Amino acid sequence: MAQWSIVFGYIKGLMVLAGYEAQSKSAMVVTKSISYNGGRIRINADINKGGHLIVRALDNNGKPLAKSEILADDLINSELQFDREIKKGNITLQFNFFKAKVYSFDLEK
């Protein structure tokens, strides 16, 4: 599994990550600690046929807090649905994907 560094930027006050692509191998990108206020988490990604994306919210020790459904379609400003509520506080997000391009995500204020 490939694991890449992450680059952050801000667009109109939204925190976004640079695009990443995983075609022949699975990839994992983990954010640095992010302040989460309980709002929606949205994502933009292209997922090719046979590909997938799963997003996990982790605490600062890497312990899983919640997991998204398995995503297999293109996503445009799509709200992630998690298997449990994520409480306010500092979290990291782990993106696991295959045959997909992840362009950006944002945390609603």
Side-chain angles (χ1 to χ4, degrees), residues 77-93:
N77 199 31
S78 298
E79 181 181 349
L80 292 173
Q81 301 297 317
F82 289 92
D83 61 355
R84 61 186 83 121
E85 181 182 355
I86 304 168
K87 294 185 180 182
K88 294 178 183 181
N90 290 331
I91 63 170
T92 60
L93 295 175

Side-chain angles (χ1 to χ4, degrees), residues 13-108:
L14 301 176
M15 183 183 297
V16 297
L17 68 98
Y20 290 96
E21 181 174 6
Q23 288 299 324
S24 61
K25 294 183 180 180
S26 294
M28 178 175 62
V29 174
V30 181
T31 69
K32 294 184 179 185
S33 182
I34 302 168
S35 179
Y36 177 66
N37 70 359
R40 295 183 187 118
I41 301 174
R42 297 187 179 275
I43 190 164
N44 291 296
D46 289 337
I47 303 172
N48 296 326
K49 185 176 181 177
H52 66 268
L53 167 67
I54 299 171
V55 181
R56 289 180 177 85
L58 310 172
D59 69 14
N60 284 332
N61 296 316
K63 179 182 173 188
L65 300 172
K67 177 179 159 184
S68 75
E69 59 191 340
I70 298 173
L71 305 162
D73 294 313
D74 291 346
L75 305 164
I76 300 172
N77 199 31
S78 298
E79 181 181 349
L80 292 173
Q81 301 297 317
F82 289 92
D83 61 355
R84 61 186 83 121
E85 181 182 355
I86 304 168
K87 294 185 180 182
K88 294 178 183 181
N90 290 331
I91 63 170
T92 60
L93 295 175
Q94 179 186 76
F95 299 84
N96 295 286
F97 51 103
F98 175 68
K99 290 189 177 180
K101 295 177 186 173
V102 177
Y103 295 109
S104 66
F105 74 93
D106 66 85
L107 306 176
E108 192 174 80

